Amino acid sequence: FLKENPLDRVRFPSPPKPREKRLKPGELQKLLQSANQSGSSYMPSLIILAVETGMRIGELLKIEWSDWDKQRAILHLRNTKNGRDRYIPLTPNANQIISDITQTSDRILPTNYEAVKSAWQRLRKRTGILDLRLHDLRHEATSRFFEMGLTLPEVASITGHQTATMLLRY
């Protein structure tokens, strides 16, 4: 009964530009200094591990002591977001950070996402770095991997990105 399809004139909005936030010089030190002075004992370790490994916050909160091979400096992530296991090579700094954590539970960082989220919001306010999201630490790590000279396949195997398109923005 209609002469034309009314949906032919519907235009979808353009997708938003991907976020490209990087840490500015001195911001990591400022975050760590403030995190060390806070009541959140795991925040400094979580920040360093996020920047050193490129792991998602949920992945960091899931890792268990049994997933860590200290001698080989590797973390084994099980059942990640894309359903696959992956192995994260650890820098000497990241391996040392894990070594320095006192084992109080099966998980290396025995806290939950809500506690981390709250601690992060307080940390952002204290440091005045209001435009930084937790997930930006993963972006920072991924960019640093490329700056180290790692190849696209190497970075993808560490970060778990499934397509080159997702990685090309770094």
Side-chain angles (χ1 to χ4, degrees):
F1 300 100
L2 297 173
K3 292 183 180 191
E4 63 180 52
N5 183 347
L7 295 179
D8 285 343
R9 288 185 259 142
V10 173
R11 298 289 173 244
F12 293 100
S14 299
K17 291 183 180 179
R19 187 167 163 82
E20 295 181 18
K21 172 71 175 144
R22 293 283 311 266
L23 290 170
K24 295 175 185 155
E27 283 185 335
L28 181 59
Q29 290 75 18
K30 196 173 182 181
L31 286 167
L32 291 172
Q33 182 179 19
S34 186
N36 279 316
Q37 296 169 352
S38 75
S40 177
S41 61
Y42 294 103
M43 208 57 187
S45 299
L46 185 135
I47 291 169
I48 293 169
L49 289 173
V51 171
E52 296 270 335
T53 66
M55 292 169 61
R56 296 174 180 93
I57 300 307
E59 293 169 341
L60 285 166
L61 296 177
K62 262 179 43 176
I63 53 173
E64 296 185 354
W65 291 102
S66 60
D67 299 327
W68 177 45
D69 184 334
K70 181 179 183 176
Q71 307 307 356
R72 293 175 44 214
I74 292 174
L75 279 176
H76 179 198
L77 299 187
R78 301 169 197 280
N79 194 22
T80 63
K81 180 180 173 183
N82 61 29
R84 297 182 183 164
D85 287 6
R86 71 178 197 272
Y87 293 88
I88 307 294
L90 298 173
T91 62
N93 188 32
N95 210 34
Q96 186 61 52
I97 291 296
I98 295 172
S99 290
D100 292 344
I101 295 172
T102 303
Q103 185 174 352
T104 59
S105 101
D106 290 341
R107 288 182 294 127
I108 292 175
L109 297 170
T111 188
N112 61 59
Y113 181 75
E114 288 305 315
V116 169
K117 186 175 155 185
S118 295
W120 181 256
Q121 295 306 327
R122 290 189 304 274
L123 184 62
R124 286 177 47 209
K125 287 178 185 170
R126 276 196 311 275
T127 59
I129 308 173
L130 301 175
D131 64 337
L132 188 65
R133 300 176 187 165
L134 267 169
H135 193 73
D136 292 334
L137 301 178
R138 177 170 158 81
H139 290 242
E140 179 68 24
T142 305
S143 296
R144 288 180 179 200
F145 294 151
F146 283 115
E147 289 167 356
M148 285 190 250
L150 297 180
T151 64
L152 201 66
E154 289 170 329
V155 174
S157 73
I158 295 169
T159 63
H161 286 97
Q162 292 296 299
T163 66
T165 307
M166 287 301 295
L167 279 174
L168 289 176
R169 57 192 261 209
Y170 296 101

